[in-house]
Amino acid sequence: MAELVATVSGADVKVWRPDAQRAECVASTALECEVSALQWSPTNGALACGGFDGRAHLLKPSGELLGVIPQAPEDVADVTSGAINALAFSKGSRYLATGGADAEVVIWDLKRKSKLKTLSGHVDEVNAVTYSPGDQHVASGSSSGAVLLHSPVSGLAVGEMRVSDVPGDRGITSLHYSPHRRQMLASSSMDGCVQLWDTGIRRLGQSIPAAAANAPCYQASFSPTSSGLIAAACGDGRVTLLDVNAPGARSEERRVGKECRSRW
C-alpha cells in the first residue's frame, strides 16, 4: 500500500498521501470524541485512533470506520478509565496494545473484538507502548520513568527498567525498538534525553541529552536503513540526529518548529 500520513486535530482525523511537491488529503473523518493517539498497522491497512473516551477507533485508509473497541456501550467494564495515550499493533495486526491514563496496558484481540489481557505494574499513566520484533514482549513506558516488559502470552511482567531512582521529571514519552538490533530499545523522556536500553539484560545502556536545557524530548525513532541513527524530536523545536555508534552520540540538529514529533 502507498505511503500514507495520518494527522488529528481534536476529533477530526485526516489521511494524507505525500509526494515530493505537496500532500493530498485523501480522507477526513470526524469521530465522536477527541483523539489522543494514532497508530498505523504494519501494512497501513488500518489506522487505530486512541480516544479520550477510553476506546480504540479503527479506520480504513479511506476514512471508513472499521469498528470501535470495546464494541458497545454495554461493554463498559472493558472501557479504559481515561484517555488512551498510546497504541501498538502486533506484527500480524491481529492484536492491538493500548496504554493510557489508568496506568494499565490492555491487549485487544481485533478478530474477536474483545479484551485479551490486562498488563499491570505501572503506578502512573502509560504514555508509550510497543511490541518487540517478533512480538515476544510488549514494552510500555510511564510518566514515572519506568519501562516494563510483559509477555503478551502470559500477561506477566518479565522485566522492569527505570531511567533513574532520583525524583524528577523523567517521564517516558515514546518507545521504539531498533530494526537492526532486536534487543535494543530507545525511549525519550520529559527531561530532554534519549535512553538506550538492552532488553536482553534489562539494563540502561546510555542516556543521551537530545534537547536544550529544560526542554522535553517527545519522540525517538531509529532509522530503518542506518544502523544506530536515531531522530529525536524535542520541545525546543529541534530534531536532533543521534549516532549511537559514535562518541558523544549527537551528530546534527535541525529546527522544524515550536514543538514536534518525528518518525522515520
Side-chain angles (χ1 to χ4, degrees), residues 6-252:
T7 62
V8 64
S9 177
D12 297 322
V13 179
K14 293 185 178 181
V15 177
W16 306 80
R17 181 179 292 113
D19 59 31
Q21 303 299 323
R22 62 186 181 88
E24 176 191 4
C25 182
V26 296
S28 181
T29 303
L31 296 177
E32 296 178 354
C33 69
E34 291 192 12
V35 174
S36 49
L38 295 173
Q39 182 64 52
W40 284 105
S41 66
T43 60
N44 279 7
L47 176 66
C49 309
F52 275 83
D53 62 352
R55 301 199 293 171
H57 305 251
L58 302 174
L59 302 176
K60 291 182 179 180
S62 64
E64 179 184 349
L65 185 66
L66 282 169
V68 181
I69 296 179
Q71 297 182 74
E74 55 264 26
D75 298 329
V76 65
D78 287 339
V79 176
T80 300
S81 57
I84 291 178
N85 297 333
L87 306 131
F89 282 92
S90 64
K91 186 176 181 180
S93 301
R94 168 71 184 267
Y95 305 106
L96 178 70
T98 63
D102 61 356
E104 292 183 335
V105 176
V106 178
I107 298 179
W108 304 91
D109 185 327
L110 297 183
K111 185 176 182 180
R112 297 179 178 177
K113 294 184 171 58
S114 62
K115 181 187 290 189
L116 183 66
K117 283 184 172 62
T118 298
L119 312 180
S120 303
H122 284 292
V123 297
D124 209 334
E125 64 180 303
V126 177
N127 299 317
V129 62
T130 187
Y131 276 88
S132 67
D135 294 349
Q136 291 94 343
H137 298 134
V138 174
S140 54
S142 74
S143 295
S144 70
V147 176
L148 300 185
L149 301 177
H150 284 86
S151 165
V153 177
S154 68
L156 298 177
V158 296
E160 179 177 356
M161 304 175 291
R162 290 189 174 274
V163 173
S164 173
D165 292 328
V166 179
D169 196 358
R170 295 179 173 84
I172 301 297
T173 55
S174 74
L175 293 169
H176 192 217
Y177 272 96
S178 169
H180 310 286
R181 306 176 189 176
R182 296 173 65 88
Q183 294 184 334
M184 181 178 285
L185 176 67
S187 65
S188 57
S189 56
M190 290 298 293
D191 63 354
C193 293
V194 171
Q195 298 81 26
L196 295 177
W197 308 90
D198 185 331
T199 60
I201 59 176
R202 318 289 198 256
R203 184 177 299 173
L204 177 64
Q206 299 183 63
S207 183
I208 308 164
N214 300 320
C217 184
Y218 289 120
Q219 193 153 18
S221 301
F222 282 99
S223 166
T225 56
S226 300
S227 176
L229 189 62
I230 294 176
C234 305
D236 58 3
R238 291 180 172 86
V239 174
T240 303
L241 299 181
L242 306 170
D243 184 353
V244 301
N245 297 322
R250 179 176 294 199
S251 59
E252 187 177 355

